[in-house]
């Protein structure tokens, strides 16, 4: 049950060295047990940004004895990275001295992909992939604030497609959709990276 659970399990000593690990987590990391046990620290298998989070939170963990829902970017042996969620409790001896952690690791790659997809859907038009009205207003407000601060000006331009309704009515909505997609592509090609082309309607 321990070795083949759908989540990773490992234990760290007071120096952050991995003293036990299950097969699930080993398979995620791509290391053999001999490469890890007693030889690698948890900080060896996370990104520099995550290492900072670990160094900040591990002393607190040793003191309070638990940590919940801490996210790390975990680095596999081949250099690829996946997001992990850690929960841990401290195992202590009869005198209350820290022995090791009991850590549970969840691979949250799918959740992160879903979150990114939902965030994209909330801010971009589904057909053209241009910023939608909400994101357009947000960027416009930022531009106005920047202009006020720097005493500069920006421009906004509305484009409408002439005779678009007859295209939909005579050739069908699929053709109309294709036209909108092509307009979006051409607009993005002729603006600067600092500019925004959005679908207002």
């Amino acid at each position: 049950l321990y070795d083949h659970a759908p989540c990773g399990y490992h234990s760290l000593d007071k120096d952050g060295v991995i003293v036990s690990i299950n097969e699930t987590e080993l398979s995620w990391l791509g290391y053999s047990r001999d490469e890890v046990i007693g030889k690698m620290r948890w900080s060896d298998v996370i990104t520099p940004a995550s290492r900072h989070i670990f160094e900040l939170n591990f002393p607190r963990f040793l003191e309070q004895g638990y940590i919940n829902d801490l996210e790390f970017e975990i680095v596999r042996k081949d250099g690829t990275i996946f997001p992990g969620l850690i929960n841990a409790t401290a195992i202590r001896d009869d005198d209350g001295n820290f022995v090791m952690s009991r850590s549970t690791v969840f691979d949250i790659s799918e959740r992160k992909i879903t979150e990114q997809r939902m965030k994209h859907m909330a801010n971009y038009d589904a057909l053209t992939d241009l910023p939608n009205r909400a994101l357009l207003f947000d960027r416009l407000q930022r531009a106005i604030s920047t202009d006020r601060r720097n005493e500069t000006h920006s421009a906004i331009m509305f484009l409408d497609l002439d005779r678009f309704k007859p295209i939909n009515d005579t050739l069908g909505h699929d053709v109309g959709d294709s036209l909108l997609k092509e307009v979006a592509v051409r607009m993005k090609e002729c603006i600067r990276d600092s500019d925004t082309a959005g679908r207002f309607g």
Side-chain angles (χ1 to χ4, degrees):
L1 287 173
Y2 174 82
D3 270 329
H4 303 290
C7 58
Y9 289 119
H10 69 251
S11 293
L12 308 178
D13 68 13
K14 62 181 176 58
D15 297 316
V17 176
I18 300 170
V19 293
S20 71
I21 189 168
N22 74 342
E23 289 295 332
T24 302
E25 193 170 343
L26 280 173
S27 68
W28 290 349
L29 294 173
Y31 289 101
S32 69
R33 189 173 298 278
D34 289 340
E35 290 177 293
V36 175
I37 301 297
K39 296 172 184 172
M40 295 182 74
R41 289 177 163 81
W42 177 246
S43 56
D44 295 329
V45 295
I46 53 180
T47 62
S50 290
R51 205 170 295 136
H52 177 69
I53 295 169
F54 176 72
E55 288 167 357
L56 213 64
N57 285 277
F58 194 60
R60 295 176 190 166
F61 167 72
L62 293 176
E63 186 179 324
Q64 67 187 19
Y66 66 91
I67 204 86
N68 291 320
D69 297 337
L70 207 57
E71 288 189 22
F72 293 103
E73 290 180 322
I74 302 170
V75 185
R76 298 184 181 94
K77 187 177 181 179
D78 64 8
T80 57
I81 296 169
F82 71 95
L85 188 73
I86 307 281
N87 291 295
T89 54
I91 299 173
R92 301 187 187 277
D93 62 20
D94 292 339
D95 297 322
N97 299 312
F98 181 85
V99 177
M100 61 182 178
S101 72
R102 182 187 287 122
S103 307
T104 309
V105 185
F106 298 95
D107 180 347
I108 56 171
S109 301
E110 288 299 320
R111 191 181 90 179
K112 287 292 184 183
I113 291 168
T114 302
E115 286 174 358
Q116 289 171 359
R117 190 179 296 128
M118 290 176 67
K119 184 178 178 182
H120 191 83
M121 288 171 61
N123 290 293
Y124 288 85
D125 177 62
L127 179 65
T128 61
D129 204 39
L130 291 174
N132 62 16
R133 184 186 300 240
L135 183 55
L136 191 62
F137 280 174
D138 178 67
R139 290 189 181 174
L140 182 60
Q141 191 59 54
R142 289 178 189 221
I144 291 169
S145 297
T146 301
D147 287 338
R148 283 182 180 150
R149 187 169 57 250
N150 298 330
E151 297 183 355
T152 55
H153 294 86
S154 294
I156 184 167
M157 179 169 57
F158 287 89
L159 300 178
D160 199 5
L161 298 181
D162 292 338
R163 297 182 295 281
F164 180 68
K165 188 176 184 303
I167 291 173
N168 269 341
D169 292 345
T170 58
L171 301 175
H173 287 280
D174 288 346
V175 175
D177 288 351
S178 295
L179 175 61
L180 291 174
K181 289 177 186 176
E182 182 61 28
V183 169
V185 168
R186 295 190 185 194
M187 285 175 65
K188 285 191 278 191
E189 285 175 350
C190 66
I191 62 173
R192 302 168 301 179
D193 289 341
S194 57
D195 297 331
T196 295
R199 188 176 180 195
F200 186 77

